[in-house]
Amino acid sequence: MQFRNLKMIGYVVYGRGSFNQLDEILAPQRKGDSPMIFLVDHFFEGKALPNKIPLRGKDKIIYADVTFEPKTKQVDALAKILKEEFGTVSGIIGIGGGSTLDLAKAVSLMMTNPGSSADYQGWDLVQLAGVYKVGIPTLSGTGAEVSRTTVLTGPERKLGMNSDFTPFDQIVLDPDLIKNAPANQRFYTGMDCYIHCIESLEGTFLNEFSKSFGEKALHLCQEIFLGNQTWTEEHDEKLMMASYAGGMSIAYSQVGVAHAISYGLSYLLGTKHGVGNCIVMNHIEEYYPAGVAEFKRMVEENNIDIPQDICSGLTDEQFDKMINVSLGMKPLWENALGKNWEQIMTREKLRALYEKF
Ligand code: NAD
Ligand code: ZN
């Protein structure tokens, strides 16, 4: 048995207002006059948050267009611009949801690694440490702040740059930054965390390490998303820690059925990760009976719309494409259904599921 030797993030600061410590956190990481680059979710353009960014010298804010989930060519273009303008930079600071955090991680890696980010989609292909990188979430749920991957859509596949060089050197968890997220978006991203917990806790890869984080994250999700509550600052604090713990749980296990199927939707239809997982979760009671029942209660009590009928009218070829992408996620299926998963999740069975969405 080969145990995973887990590379973790470097430093964590947690607390309401901790964003204000960013200047002093960055100071020792500055290399000469090479700038810090703040990659900020475009949602914040023209809002108050950018005014609080501690710009020094040649530092620059770049707004990240996250209308679509990150693409390898978007990463390559950003790294190219920075290399042309500055040669090198002191660091990349991603401020935003999971998409912006993934972009920041990937751009940091592509400041030092040659070629295209598409060359590194896979496991342990990245050869060199990137530049110093910081993750500052403004949505909570994906666990991208703690993970060793950065999910990218490339010319051939949607797959992360999974490597020991991928985790952030520093994360700043400030619950104030997530407080104005719209209810639907907060729910979709929050459910990513809930689903990570169900998939980890119900999976065959489960161990005490994953279980201890997964159970805590699950309880936090239940505390905030059940019981018809009014959302408060305390809910933001709990959601932020649920995301962290949920991410730690899957770091030492794996996700499962909902993620494997939703990857197909996002590859073909561009469905975003959080809402895609919700669309799938609505229909997979066969695999996670208790989790799906509770998920449906959460949807109802929080008055959330889950899109329906997104697959009606697709051609056989399109269904095949989604099925191929999904069945390619081998570790996810193995975690969910065991070593004989290929006998259980046949192409016909998966097609029947996609037809329900
Ligand atoms: P997101 O980053 O895609 O953002 C969703 C929307 O919310 C965007 O329009 C964004 O502009 C907006 N937004 C961000 N912060 C906001 C705020 N505070 N208030 C209002 N709007 C805000 O959403 P997400 O669910 O956080 O992330 C999904 C992405 O994360 C996907 O690209 C997925 O592949 C990736 N992901 C990565 C990992 C990982 O381990 N690296 C894990 C899960 C998901
Ligand atoms: Zn996820």
Side-chain angles (χ1 to χ4, degrees):
M1 174 98 189
Q2 181 69 29
F3 294 100
R4 187 174 302 169
N5 190 8
L6 187 66
K7 171 74 173 68
M8 310 228 290
I9 43 178
Y11 289 82
V12 184
V13 57
Y14 169 82
R16 192 172 291 285
S18 55
F19 186 78
N20 299 330
Q21 274 169 239
L22 193 54
D23 196 23
E24 64 185 86
I25 287 171
L26 298 180
Q29 306 295 340
R30 292 182 178 277
K31 296 191 174 64
D33 67 348
S34 293
M36 289 287 177
I37 305 301
F38 298 86
L39 199 55
V40 181
D41 192 311
H42 65 170
F43 168 80
F44 292 101
E45 195 164 3
K47 306 251 172 23
L49 183 66
N51 302 327
K52 292 171 59 186
I53 292 176
L55 295 174
R56 306 242 159 213
K58 293 190 288 178
D59 287 2
K60 186 169 180 167
I61 295 177
I62 297 179
Y63 289 101
D65 183 348
V66 293
T67 313
F68 305 104
E69 294 189 346
K71 296 191 170 52
T72 52
K73 62 173 193 250
Q74 190 181 7
V75 170
D76 295 348
L78 280 165
K80 184 163 178 270
I81 291 170
L82 292 177
K83 282 190 246 180
E84 279 171 7
E85 187 170 350
F86 301 109
T88 184
V89 300
S90 286
I92 308 279
I93 298 100
I95 306 177
S99 295
T100 308
L101 298 185
D102 276 358
L103 269 179
K105 290 197 234 184
V107 172
S108 151
L109 294 172
M110 293 318 294
M111 291 304 292
T112 53
N113 286 277
S116 160
S117 49
D119 305 337
Y120 303 104
Q121 287 180 281
W123 280 268
D124 301 303
L125 302 173
V126 180
Q127 299 295 324
L128 302 168
V131 298
Y132 174 75
K133 51 184 160 347
V134 182
I136 309 183
T138 65
L139 287 173
S140 287
T142 65
E145 63 276 28
V146 292
S147 78
R148 81 190 283 278
T149 190
T150 158
V151 185
L152 301 176
T153 303
E156 281 163 34
R157 51 186 81 90
K158 180 174 179 190
L159 189 61
M161 295 165 79
N162 294 265
S163 85
D164 282 355
F165 299 118
T166 309
F168 284 114
D169 297 296
Q170 167 85 53
I171 61 173
V172 178
L173 301 180
D174 183 343
D176 248 354
L177 303 184
I178 66 170
K179 75 174 174 202
N180 293 322
N184 268 339
Q185 183 63 57
R186 179 175 64 208
F187 186 84
Y188 298 147
T189 304
M191 283 303 108
D192 192 18
C193 173
Y194 177 78
I195 295 169
H196 290 160
C197 297
I198 300 296
E199 292 179 320
S200 171
L201 294 169
E202 300 291 323
T204 63
F205 294 180
L206 188 64
N207 51 66
E208 280 305 326
F209 185 100
S210 287
K211 198 172 161 193
S212 54
F213 285 106
E215 285 180 347
K216 183 65 203 179
L218 180 67
H219 290 154
L220 288 168
C221 288
Q222 290 164 335
E223 270 176 59
I224 55 182
F225 287 117
L226 289 173
N228 289 305
Q229 307 175 53
T230 307
W231 198 269
T232 65
E233 289 191 343
E234 195 185 334
H235 291 71
D236 286 328
E237 290 164 9
K238 288 184 172 171
L239 181 56
M240 190 158 248
M241 288 321 298
S243 176
Y244 179 94
M248 287 301 294
S249 179
I250 49 172
Y252 221 90
S253 60
Q254 187 48 276
V255 287
V257 177
H259 277 73
I261 298 180
S262 100
Y263 267 98
L265 293 175
S266 92
Y267 189 83
L268 185 79
L269 305 172
T271 315
K272 294 196 111 192
H273 187 82
V275 72
N277 285 343
C278 289
I279 290 169
V280 177
M281 195 66 176
N282 235 349
H283 294 282
I284 52 171
E285 46 276 272
E286 186 179 343
Y287 304 97
Y288 305 117
V292 171
E294 189 169 70
F295 166 79
K296 289 185 174 175
R297 263 179 66 205
M298 291 176 172
V299 172
E300 202 183 301
E301 291 184 5
N302 292 279
N303 268 318
I304 302 296
D305 311 309
I306 306 289
Q308 316 260 348
D309 281 334
I310 64 164
C311 289
S312 53
L314 295 183
T315 63
D316 286 346
E317 204 183 326
Q318 288 175 312
F319 277 112
D320 276 342
K321 203 173 248 175
M322 291 195 292
I323 292 167
N324 292 342
V325 169
S326 178
L327 292 180
M329 312 303 292
K330 294 184 192 327
L332 283 66
W333 288 113
E334 189 184 332
N335 175 45
L337 305 174
K339 288 219 180 306
N340 295 328
W341 65 269
E342 277 163 305
Q343 269 110 56
I344 303 168
M345 187 46 71
T346 59
R347 294 185 75 86
E348 295 68 40
K349 190 125 201 210
L350 191 49
R351 164 86 186 234
L353 275 168
Y354 276 120
E355 283 177 0
K356 288 187 181 174
F357 308 146

